[in-house]
Every structure is written in structure tokens, then in C-alpha cells.
Amino acid sequence: MSDLLDLNAVEARRALDEKSISAVELAKTYLAAAEETSGLNNYVELTADHALAMAAESDKRIAEGTAGLLEGLPIGVKDLFCTKEVNSTACSRILKGFKPPYESTVTSNLWAAGGVMLGKLNCDEFAMGSANETSAYGPAISPWKGIDNVDLVPGGSSGGSASAVAARSALMATGTDTGGSIRQPAAFCGVVGLKPTYGRCSRWGIVAFASSLDQAGPFTRTVADNALMMTAMASHDLKDSTSTQTPLQDLIGAIGDGVKGMKIGVPREYVMDGMDGEVVKLWEQGQVWLRDAGAELVDVSLPHTKYALPAYYIIAPAEASSNLARYDGVRFGMRVEADTLDGMYEATRAAGFGEEVQRRIMIGTYVLSAGYYDAYYLKAQKVRRLIKDDFDTAFQSVDAMLTPATPSAAFPVGRKIDDPVTNYLNDVFTVPANLAGLPGISVPGGLTSDGLPLGLQVVGRAFDEASIYRVAAVLEDAAGFTQTPARMAFGGSA
Ligand code: GLN
């Protein structure tokens, strides 16, 4: 493997500016790495022509001295983002062959900053899942290996993104997070993933799952890289009425500010039955790291935490059932012909949607139906408000909170696929931040005794991503997490 792959984004930017490497060379190296690790199935399509053309433009701008923030950096894009004239399928059969005539705002922002598109990354179908096993393209696999070299899930739904950044076949990647889909796979794969505050990134051009929860965010190797990418991704966008006008803080400057004098909450309800002992140990270690760095640790209570997952699994399917009504065989992607119009709808949707998506549509339709709306949907919305109130109260006395990112490390491919409820439990620590619209990050904290990454989550106040990055940078420093997956296992050199 080339040393170029060892450069993180900040280092690569410097090397590009110093002209010790070129953007074309970097793009070629990443494309080759993606080919070499194709067994991980983390890309659903490589866009080599785009990558090389964009990289050549980057080299020109660097030579002219007009380089952007991400100039020349190779980026993988979750297949949930619409990319102009490039297949954008949300990893669903129903969108097979869909090439949007437009580009999502987030990816437009990345390209405007000089980013280079490597290709489209695998994910759970319509971002529904937490193991990347519901994809129409088959599962993406983690570059980390389990005991006896068993294949592990990279987490989901942005599993391809996390796997590619961990496997070094993308320097950075986009993800989306509706209930944990950035933070959980980041934790499983030992990379950094941020879900920004709801409204921070435009949702325009991102295939909708649950619109009141969906948010795009960056996957990177380091916290500083993450702040860099986030700075380029975020924007106010007239095409998304929920996108914020609150100015973005200086995220890059926040790295290195330290946590001296900060108050960090430790929510007592996050100690849960069935939690892996190693996860608890890492969480305690994280508290020690922050205390040693000068923060004050504060016990806080989020009393409605236990209702977060049930409320999420009513609200998210309800919104999904409505958002997915548009896939009817008329407007996008595939069509299965039948004798009548209704028959065509039915046949198309039966063939086009996978099992998990059909399950969500049925749950969503049920909880929104007359007679059940008040009992389920409205009740869940009330619970959502109580969860937000819990956070508002706690944030009166703390600046950020520290929690585990996931209840366990990654598990073998296939283990939980037939047990949806067990799969839903993966998001127990991440879902509350989505319901409350708050930003959260997952930072690698260490390895389990089996050698698998575990993440720590930092949750912040709305629109205060800077505090999250301050805390995350301290955790990253203290953890000194430099381990990379066993590349040998999938054909690369160590
Ligand atoms: N695992 C959760 C779900 O399946 C969250 C997915 C996501 O954040 N997109 O709904």
C-alpha cells in the first residue's frame, strides 16, 4: 500500500499545497485501494472518470493558488445522496438505474470546496438498518475481522462509508444519521463520525427517510479532518426550509481549545442492562480522560431515555411510509407492469422494496391510520418533546455530555438479520440526540479484548458543534487510537 494512504486529510491538504503530491496521484491511489478492497463491498459504484477529471481541476486550482478547503481530497458518497447523472439508488432495487438530473446541496458544497468524488458507497436500503445488511447490493463488510477471521458488519446504515474510511479506500465520506447511522458505524469501524444539529446541513437532494430526523454528516479518520469536512458541508439552503441560518462556528479553530473549565454531563440512565462490560469500562475511562484534561464531570439525569427507542420506531416508520409513497413505478426507477394501475403500483412496490423497508412501511401506515394515530403517533410525538425537555434541562448545567456510542462492538455478518428488534437496540445511545435534534459525535476510544474498536459519543447543545469537537479532540488525544484494521485479511499489505 502506498504511503499516500497514510496521510489524513489535514496532512494531505498540506502535501497538496506544497506540491509534494498531486490530486491526480492521490485520486488514482484511492481508486486503486478501492479496487483492491472490493471484497468489502463498500462501494456500489466507483466514478473513476469523475475522480480523475475533478482531481485534474484541483491540481490546476492549486497551481493557480485558488485551492478550496477540501481541494484535491478524495471523498466517497453514501448512495443516499443524489449525484448528478450518477446512479443514486439509496441501495434499493426500486431506484435501480435512477440518475438524478441534479446534485444534492451537501455534495455540491463538497465539490465547490474542491473535493474529489471517488464513487457511491453502500448503505442499508433507504438508510433503514444498523448493519448494512438490508442493501440491495448485499452487505458491506468491515475491514476489521472477528475471532477466527469472521466477517463483521461495519454498522449501518452508513456502513459503506465507515468501512471505506477505515479500510483507507476513501479519505473521507458522507453519511446520514436518522437514528444513529453515522455514529454507530463510525464506532464499529474505529473512525470519527458526526451527526450535526438538525438543520445544520441541507437535506435537499438526499433521499428522504424520516424528514424530521434525517441529517447529513462527515466520516473521517481524525477529529480535525472531521471539522474540516463539516465546515465545507454545512450551509443555509433556501431549498430546505428546515436548514438553519445560525452561522457555523469556527470548528477548525475549536480543535485544540481543550476542555479546561467545561462541564461534561454523564447521564445516569445510560447505564443499561445487557451492556457490554468493556463498553462501561471505556465510558469510565473517557470520564477520567476529560477530568484529567481539566473538565468537571457532572452527573445528569435524562429520565425519559428508555422511551426514546420505542418513540423513534413509531415516528421514523410513520415519516418513512409517507416519504416512500412516491416510489410508485411512475416517477423514479423501476416499474413492474400489470393490467391495472393499482396492480402496477403493487407489483412495483412488492418487487422493489426489501423486507425491512416493507416492514417499516407497514408499521408507519398502521401508526398513522385512523383510530391508531392518537394512540401511537401522537403519543410518540409527546414523548419526543419530553426527551427534548430532558436535554434542555440537563444542558442548563453542562456544556456537553459523554456517553458510549454503542452497547457493544461490531458483530458477525448475518447474526442479527432475522431479529429486527435486537437490531433496533444498536441505536439505544444514539437515537435520543436525533429525537432532540442535537449534534453528536462518535470518536474511537479503544479496542475490546477481541481487538475491535469501541466509540465514545459526545452530545452537545443545538448548533454548538464547536464544543463537541473540543471534547472529541481531547478524547482522541488521550485515547491515542492509532490501530488500523488487519489489511492482510482482505488482500492489502499490512
Ligand atoms: N438503525 C436505525 C434505523 O434503522 C437508524 C438508521 C439511520 O440512522 N438512518 O432506523
Side-chain angles (χ1 to χ4, degrees):
M1 283 281 164
S2 155
D3 291 347
L4 281 185
L5 296 178
D6 291 335
L7 301 175
N8 63 36
V10 170
E11 292 165 346
R13 271 288 33 273
R14 197 175 312 130
L16 284 161
D17 278 344
E18 287 167 355
K19 304 189 182 63
S20 56
I21 61 171
S22 79
V24 168
E25 189 187 352
L26 195 60
K28 282 185 177 160
T29 306
Y30 271 93
L31 290 168
E35 296 278 4
E36 202 175 321
T37 55
S38 60
L40 298 175
N41 199 29
N42 47 27
Y43 279 91
V44 295
E45 183 169 345
L46 278 176
T47 52
D49 292 351
H50 280 79
L52 296 177
M54 290 166 96
E57 290 298 314
S58 285
D59 280 330
K60 260 193 234 155
R61 283 190 293 267
I62 292 167
E64 287 163 2
T66 57
L69 204 56
L70 304 180
E71 200 67 68
L73 302 182
I75 300 174
V77 177
K78 185 179 184 180
D79 201 34
L80 213 66
F81 291 77
C82 287
T83 40
K84 193 172 175 182
E85 308 301 343
V86 172
N87 284 313
S88 304
T89 72
C91 291
S92 178
R93 283 191 300 275
I94 211 157
L95 277 172
K96 191 161 185 278
F98 175 54
K99 291 189 178 163
Y102 42 78
E103 185 80 26
S104 82
T105 299
V106 160
T107 48
S108 296
N109 290 346
L110 295 175
W111 315 146
V116 168
M117 176 164 79
L118 289 170
K120 301 301 285 286
L121 293 161
N122 205 345
C123 61
D124 279 298
E125 184 179 8
F126 285 106
M128 297 175 193
S130 43
N132 209 133
E133 293 180 297
T134 70
S135 167
Y137 298 93
I141 294 168
S142 172
W144 297 84
K145 294 286 166 195
I147 297 168
D148 296 335
N149 224 19
V150 66
D151 280 342
L152 300 176
V153 302
S157 65
S158 315
S161 308
S163 167
V165 173
R168 301 196 169 177
S169 59
L171 180 51
M172 313 171 121
T174 67
T176 63
D177 189 313
T178 304
S181 279
I182 291 176
R183 291 158 290 159
Q184 184 257 16
F188 276 13
C189 289
V191 298
V192 181
L194 174 86
K195 180 201 92 76
T197 310
Y198 183 78
R200 188 44 100 192
C201 287
S202 168
R203 286 180 295 109
W204 194 81
I206 301 173
V207 175
F209 165 12
S211 307
S212 77
L213 300 160
D214 297 343
Q215 191 41 213
F219 278 95
T220 55
R221 259 182 249 167
T222 69
V223 175
D225 286 4
N226 209 275
L228 181 73
M229 184 168 171
M230 185 57 206
T231 302
M233 280 176 85
S235 65
H236 171 59
D237 183 7
L238 290 173
K239 296 202 283 285
D240 173 2
S241 60
T242 60
S243 97
T244 187
Q245 299 203 44
T246 313
L248 192 70
Q249 299 157 302
D250 176 7
L251 304 180
I252 299 167
I255 310 278
D257 278 356
V259 293
K260 204 165 256 145
M262 277 183 95
K263 290 191 173 152
I264 310 291
V266 180
R268 67 181 87 118
E269 290 80 5
Y270 279 50
V271 181
M272 292 184 189
D273 287 348
M275 224 166 133
D276 190 322
E278 293 190 286
V279 171
V280 179
K281 230 169 78 196
L282 175 66
W283 187 20
E284 288 165 358
Q285 177 64 66
Q287 296 167 39
V288 172
W289 285 332
L290 294 179
R291 195 175 296 124
D292 288 350
E296 182 188 337
L297 276 295
V298 182
D299 168 63
V300 294
S301 175
L302 300 169
H304 296 92
T305 299
K306 64 172 178 287
Y307 304 115
L309 216 48
Y312 172 86
Y313 275 102
I314 290 172
I315 294 168
E319 294 186 20
S321 70
S322 158
N323 274 327
L324 269 53
R326 73 191 66 169
Y327 305 106
D328 55 6
V330 176
R331 283 167 282 199
F332 308 90
M334 74 178 270
R335 168 188 297 201
V336 179
E337 298 295 351
D339 293 342
T340 62
L341 182 63
D342 281 354
M344 187 278 285
Y345 290 159
E346 264 178 44
T348 301
R349 288 168 67 84
F353 290 135
E355 195 183 322
E356 182 61 27
V357 173
Q358 294 192 14
R359 181 180 295 119
R360 305 274 178 122
I361 292 173
M362 289 198 300
I363 296 171
T365 312
Y366 179 81
V367 299
L368 289 175
S369 59
Y372 296 104
Y373 185 92
D374 289 1
Y376 293 104
Y377 184 69
L378 214 58
K379 189 75 142 284
Q381 290 289 25
K382 289 180 180 168
V383 169
R384 180 177 190 175
R385 164 55 63 143
L386 294 174
I387 287 166
K388 182 175 178 303
D389 290 348
D390 282 356
F391 278 107
D392 287 349
T393 307
F395 276 124
Q396 284 172 9
S397 51
V398 297
D399 302 303
M401 290 186 208
L402 180 72
T403 82
T406 57
S408 72
F411 45 87
V413 173
R415 173 166 301 171
K416 297 187 181 179
I417 187 75
D418 296 324
D419 185 356
V421 175
T422 310
N423 237 329
Y424 296 172
L425 290 172
N426 279 303
D427 297 318
V428 65
F429 297 129
T430 48
V431 150
N434 298 79
L435 290 171
L438 301 174
I441 198 169
S442 174
V443 202
L447 297 180
T448 64
S449 51
D450 294 339
L452 298 181
L454 288 176
L456 285 166
Q457 177 179 230
V458 183
V459 177
R461 293 192 181 101
F463 304 112
D464 187 15
E465 279 82 7
S467 290
I468 290 193
Y469 281 126
R470 282 175 65 183
V471 180
V474 167
L475 292 170
E476 177 182 53
D477 245 20
F481 185 91
T482 51
Q483 293 90 340
T484 50
R487 307 179 64 86
M488 297 292 277
F490 53 93
S493 57

